[in-house]
Amino acid sequence: MLPASGARSADRAAQSGEAGTTIRMKGMSMKAWFIDCTPEMAELFASGAAEAPEGVRIHQGDPDDDAILSMAQQVEVLMVEHTVIPDVVFAQAPGLRAIVFMGTGASTYVSATVAQSHGVSVLTTPGYGSVAVAEH
C-alpha cells in the first residue's frame, strides 16, 4: 500500500480508516480503494508529480480475485485501472455501491449488468486519453 498526499478543501476531507478511506464530499461520506496502481502511477505518487486525496488506500500491483473480494467487502467504491472484477464480488460485497473505471472499455473488465443487478453502479472517466489520442 502506498501513502498518498493531497490538500484538503472545504468540500472534501479525507480520513484514513481501517477499511479504506473515508472521503466526505458536500455532506456525503464513502470509503474507497484504488485496487491496481501501476508502477508508473506509483512513481508519480512517490515523486509528488501526482496527488491522491489524503489517506486514500492504494494497492500497488495486480490483485488476485481473493484480494479484490477482500477490498470490495471493506468499502463502498472500488477505483479500477486495468483489473477484471469477478462477478462473484458483487454478490459477496453487499456494501459496494460503485466501481469507478479509470479508462475506456469498462465492459471488458466489469459486467455492468451483473453489477447493476446487485445495486452497484459502474462509472467511467469521460474523455480519458483524449489528449494522448489527439497527440498521436
Side-chain angles (χ1 to χ4, degrees), residues 43-115:
E43 180 57 34
L44 292 174
F45 286 130
S47 72
E51 294 184 7
E54 183 180 329
V56 167
R57 294 188 85 180
I58 299 172
H59 177 272
Q60 185 176 350
D62 299 327
D64 63 19
D65 290 355
D66 290 336
I68 295 168
L69 178 59
S70 176
M71 287 184 269
Q73 289 172 330
Q74 298 174 33
V75 298
E76 296 172 287
V77 177
L78 293 179
M79 298 180 294
V80 179
E81 206 255 349
H82 63 270
T83 298
V84 173
I85 305 299
D87 291 347
V88 69
V89 165
F90 301 108
Q92 295 183 13
L96 189 62
R97 299 288 172 250
I99 303 261
V100 178
F101 186 75
M102 300 181 289
T104 59
S107 63
T108 302
Y109 299 90
V110 60
S111 170
T113 304
V114 174

